[in-house]
């Protein structure tokens, strides 16, 4: 259950990052930073989902 909660938190952070990137009216250099952080969060989400799949055999 703990791993599933962590997956959901990372996925929520990814959705928030995508939302901020497309909807928040900020300067270009700040948008670059938000976009870079969103890519890092997305790579972490993918890695966590692959690890969870290897451990349980299920995709959440």
């Amino acid at each position: 259950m703990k791993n599933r909660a962590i997956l959901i938190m990372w996925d929520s952070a990814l959705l928030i990052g995508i939302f901020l990137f497309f909807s928040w009216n900020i300067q270009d250099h700040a948008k670059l930073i938000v976009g870079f952080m969103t890519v890092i969060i997305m790579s972490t989400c993918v890695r966590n989902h692959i690890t969870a799949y290897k451990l349980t055999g299920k995709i959440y």
Side-chain angles (χ1 to χ4, degrees), residues 26-56:
I26 54 178
Q27 296 175 353
D28 289 337
H29 67 279
K31 192 169 262 202
L32 178 68
I33 294 169
V34 171
F36 182 68
M37 293 305 295
T38 302
V39 169
I40 290 173
I41 291 170
M42 186 174 88
S43 67
T44 303
C45 287
V46 169
R47 187 179 65 230
N48 288 343
H49 278 276
I50 290 171
T51 303
Y53 178 73
K54 285 180 182 178
L55 290 176
T56 62

Side-chain angles (χ1 to χ4, degrees), residues 1-47:
M1 184 65 178
K2 182 180 177 183
N3 290 334
R4 192 173 192 185
I6 291 172
L7 284 174
I8 291 170
M9 287 189 321
W10 275 107
D11 291 342
S12 299
L14 177 63
L15 291 175
I16 290 169
I18 291 170
F19 176 75
L20 288 176
F21 183 77
F22 286 115
S23 67
W24 200 17
N25 190 11
I26 54 178
Q27 296 175 353
D28 289 337
H29 67 279
K31 192 169 262 202
L32 178 68
I33 294 169
V34 171
F36 182 68
M37 293 305 295
T38 302
V39 169
I40 290 173
I41 291 170
M42 186 174 88
S43 67
T44 303
C45 287
V46 169
R47 187 179 65 230

